[in-house]
Amino acid sequence: MKKRVVCAFLGLVMMVSQSFTVFADTESDIRQQKAQAESQLSQTNDTIASLSEQQQQIQSEINAMDADMVDLMIQIDATKTDIASTEDGIAQKEADITEKEGEIETTAGQLQDAEADRDKQYADMKKRIQYIYENGGNEAWLNMLSGADSITSLLNKVEYAQNMHDYDRKQLEAFKEVVQQVSDLKADLENQKADLETQKSDLETQKASLESQQADLQSQQADLQAQMDEKKATSSDYEAQIATAQQQANEISNLISQQQAQLDQIAEEKRQAEEEAARQAAAEEAARQQAAAEEAARQQAAAEEASRQQAAAASSTSTSSGNSSTSQSSGNSRNNSTTNNSNAATGSSTASSGSTSTNNSTASSGSSSDKSSSTGSSGPVNSSGASGSSIVAYADQFVGNPYVWGGNSLTNGIDCSHFVYQVLKNTGAYSGGYTTSAGWRSLGTAVSSLSEARAGDVICYSGHVAIYDGNGGIVEAKGTKWGITHDRSANCKTILAIRRFT
């Protein structure tokens, strides 16, 4: 029975150890993958930040180009307005020129008529003068004068001749003046036309300059638009890259969350496995103790039976000797019988007492040994003289260092059971091998309650173990989020055992 229990216990330990190894390997792989994913996520976020910065720079340039484009459009609109105004001016000048040409044409006609009248008057006057000269010249005047009937008639004829002469001269002067006025008006109109044509030419030159300016501005606008289109295409490309990188970052974040969930699940399964191992170990220990008690009881019963049989045999031998003595000596039979019975009783009593004492002592010793194994001192405890305060002081040196599940480094990362192991080992309080949080429950010397606990004692919880500081608190490798701490009460969780190593 005892052998079967031990074999079952060893099988359970091997199974749990293999399970922890699988957990450790799986968790190590997941942690490595998670670290790689976090590194990749960091790189992706850096890439997103860089792309965003470049996109913002491109957008700033696009905004500046937009402002320049607005300025160019305003200038182009102003130039178009100026061109339209200039075209209106040219059209007005052309209308004015056309009007002047009409006036010039009209004036030219008037000048032609005036010149014709002047020429006709001049011709008529020449005819009269020619007539006078052809008909006697001064004699004609003398004849006219001599032919006068009276002085009055003569004076009338002279006056008439003089009046006609004056009239001819006045008419000729008047026609000449009209011709001059018309000629001057024509010249003035032609000058005005020439001035209008000059103004039109200037406006056409101004229009050509404005059109050239407009073409230049439109060319600048086209170049600027091409640059803006290129910048916008680059910005869109950055935006697409950012979107892709952001999607990758989200996928990596989801992967990290899944990996963390797997790690949490592994930690929970490990905790449950430790609790199951502890429960099985407790059950096996109880079964072992029961088997040992049953074996002790069986041995005690066998010893008692052997003692009883030995006493019965001694009694039978004594009775047989007494009867033989009576038959041989009837005179002394009473005395011999009494003496023999007394001796037999004494011998039986002695044998029984010796057997019972020996067996009881053996059974008691075995029972005591079993009890000591379960509630007393077990495991390799050093007697180096390490004090509880020195254990706590040593443990406090590492407060703030990181927690790493399965880790065994007080500085680079360690879990709760390795922390207790390293502290006790390095202070000389414990010289055995490493054990889990559940394993510490059966090592050292049992302490009945927290009120009896001292500094340096090991306090065991479900799936966790810590070092008692003697003042109601514990030093522990608390978890990944906190690392090694000295900030919780010993009653923070249900205490399953308190073990002493000092």
Side-chain angles (χ1 to χ4, degrees):
M1 176 67 180
K2 183 177 182 181
K3 184 176 181 181
R4 287 198 302 272
V5 171
V6 172
C7 290
F9 178 72
L10 291 176
L12 177 63
V13 171
M14 292 178 64
M15 181 182 68
V16 173
S17 298
Q18 291 175 356
S19 176
F20 284 166
T21 301
V22 171
F23 285 155
D25 291 344
T26 303
E27 185 178 23
S28 176
D29 292 341
I30 293 175
R31 286 189 181 279
Q32 183 177 2
Q33 293 172 6
K34 181 184 176 186
Q36 293 175 352
E38 288 174 342
S39 176
Q40 185 177 358
L41 177 61
S42 177
Q43 293 176 359
T44 304
N45 287 332
D46 291 342
T47 300
I48 291 174
S50 177
L51 289 173
S52 297
E53 183 178 355
Q54 295 178 43
Q55 186 187 31
Q56 290 176 0
Q57 178 64 32
I58 290 292
Q59 189 59 49
S60 297
E61 295 176 2
I62 291 173
N63 293 339
M65 288 180 177
D66 278 334
D68 293 341
M69 179 67 75
V70 171
D71 291 340
L72 282 174
M73 293 175 68
I74 291 173
Q75 294 180 43
I76 290 172
D77 288 341
T79 303
K80 287 181 178 179
T81 301
D82 292 341
I83 290 174
S85 177
T86 304
E87 288 176 344
D88 291 341
I90 292 173
Q92 183 63 43
K93 295 302 178 185
E94 288 176 345
D96 292 343
I97 290 171
T98 301
E99 183 180 357
K100 291 300 177 184
E101 287 176 345
E103 292 178 0
I104 290 172
E105 185 176 356
T106 300
T107 303
Q110 293 174 354
L111 179 61
Q112 186 175 4
D113 292 341
E115 287 177 343
D117 290 341
R118 180 201 63 188
D119 293 341
K120 182 176 180 300
Q121 181 66 26
Y122 184 67
D124 291 342
M125 187 178 64
K126 284 197 301 181
K127 284 181 181 180
R128 282 193 294 272
I129 294 172
Q130 182 180 4
Y131 176 80
I132 292 173
Y133 279 99
E134 286 178 353
N135 290 283
N138 290 330
E139 292 180 358
W141 288 98
L142 291 175
N143 290 329
M144 183 182 65
L145 293 175
S146 62
D149 295 333
S150 63
I151 189 65
T152 302
S153 176
L154 176 62
L155 291 174
N156 286 336
K157 288 181 179 181
V158 171
E159 182 180 3
Y160 172 76
Q162 184 63 39
N163 287 338
M164 185 170 51
H165 177 72
D166 290 341
Y167 173 76
D168 285 339
R169 290 190 66 83
K170 286 180 180 179
Q171 285 294 106
L172 183 59
E173 291 295 329
F175 283 122
K176 287 175 63 178
E177 184 177 355
V178 170
V179 169
Q180 185 62 43
Q181 289 177 354
V182 173
S183 178
D184 291 342
L185 178 60
K186 179 182 178 183
D188 182 59
L189 289 174
E190 287 177 347
N191 289 334
Q192 291 181 22
K193 176 185 175 183
D195 184 56
L196 288 172
E197 288 177 344
T198 301
Q199 293 178 19
K200 176 185 175 183
S201 177
D202 292 341
L203 288 174
E204 288 175 344
T205 302
Q206 181 178 352
K207 176 184 175 183
S209 175
L210 289 172
E211 288 175 344
S212 175
Q213 182 179 352
Q214 179 184 5
D216 182 62
L217 289 173
Q218 289 175 339
S219 176
Q220 293 180 35
Q221 182 184 25
D223 291 341
L224 187 59
Q225 186 63 52
Q227 295 177 24
M228 287 178 64
D229 292 341
E230 183 179 358
K231 296 290 183 183
K232 287 179 179 179
T234 303
S235 179
S236 298
D237 183 56
Y238 281 139
E239 186 174 356
Q241 293 182 49
I242 290 171
T244 301
Q246 189 62 57
Q247 182 179 0
Q248 293 177 354
N250 293 336
E251 292 175 355
I252 295 171
S253 296
N254 292 334
L255 177 61
I256 292 173
S257 298
Q258 294 174 5
Q259 291 169 337
Q260 185 60 49
Q262 291 176 343
L263 291 173
D264 294 340
Q265 181 179 359
I266 289 172
E268 178 62 21
E269 291 175 354
K270 186 186 75 166
R271 184 188 65 77
Q272 293 176 359
E274 287 181 346
E275 290 181 353
E276 180 62 20
R279 187 185 65 78
Q280 291 289 347
E284 295 295 340
E285 178 64 18
R288 187 187 66 78
Q289 292 179 8
Q290 182 179 358
E294 290 175 354
E295 179 66 20
R298 186 188 64 77
Q299 291 178 0
Q300 183 176 0
E304 290 177 352
E305 179 63 21
S307 177
R308 187 186 63 76
Q309 290 177 359
Q310 184 178 2
S315 176
S316 176
T317 301
S318 176
T319 303
S320 177
S321 298
N323 290 335
S324 178
S325 175
T326 302
S327 64
Q328 291 177 1
S329 179
S330 59
N332 296 325
S333 61
R334 180 181 181 88
N335 293 334
N336 288 338
S337 177
T338 303
T339 303
N340 288 335
N341 287 337
S342 176
N343 290 336
T346 304
S348 176
S349 176
T350 303
S352 177
S353 175
S355 176
T356 301
S357 174
T358 302
N359 291 331
N360 287 340
S361 174
T362 302
S364 176
S365 175
S367 177
S368 175
S369 175
D370 290 340
K371 183 176 181 181
S372 173
S373 176
S374 63
T375 62
S377 176
S378 64
V381 180
N382 279 351
S383 58
S384 62
S387 66
S389 60
S390 65
I391 293 174
V392 175
Y394 182 79
D396 277 336
Q397 297 180 73
F398 306 102
V399 170
N401 288 346
Y403 175 98
V404 174
W405 187 87
N408 193 27
S409 173
L410 288 167
T411 55
N412 297 327
I414 197 167
D415 61 16
C416 63
S417 56
H418 280 97
F419 176 69
V420 172
Y421 168 68
Q422 288 287 2
V423 170
L424 295 184
K425 179 180 178 181
N426 292 338
T427 56
Y430 176 73
S431 62
Y434 164 75
T435 186
T436 64
S437 58
W440 287 107
R441 301 174 196 168
S442 60
L443 299 179
T445 304
V447 178
S448 60
S449 65
L450 184 61
S451 61
E452 300 295 329
R454 297 199 304 248
D457 288 349
V458 175
I459 298 184
C460 303
Y461 307 92
S462 175
H464 189 56
V465 65
I467 295 174
Y468 186 57
D469 64 3
N471 294 314
I474 52 175
V475 188
E476 59 182 326
K478 188 174 180 179
T480 305
K481 183 178 179 181
W482 304 276
I484 299 173
T485 63
H486 187 173
D487 59 1
R488 284 205 295 182
S489 168
N491 284 320
C492 62
K493 301 171 69 174
T494 302
I495 298 174
L496 300 183
I498 303 175
R499 311 300 291 187
R500 181 165 297 157
F501 295 84
T502 57

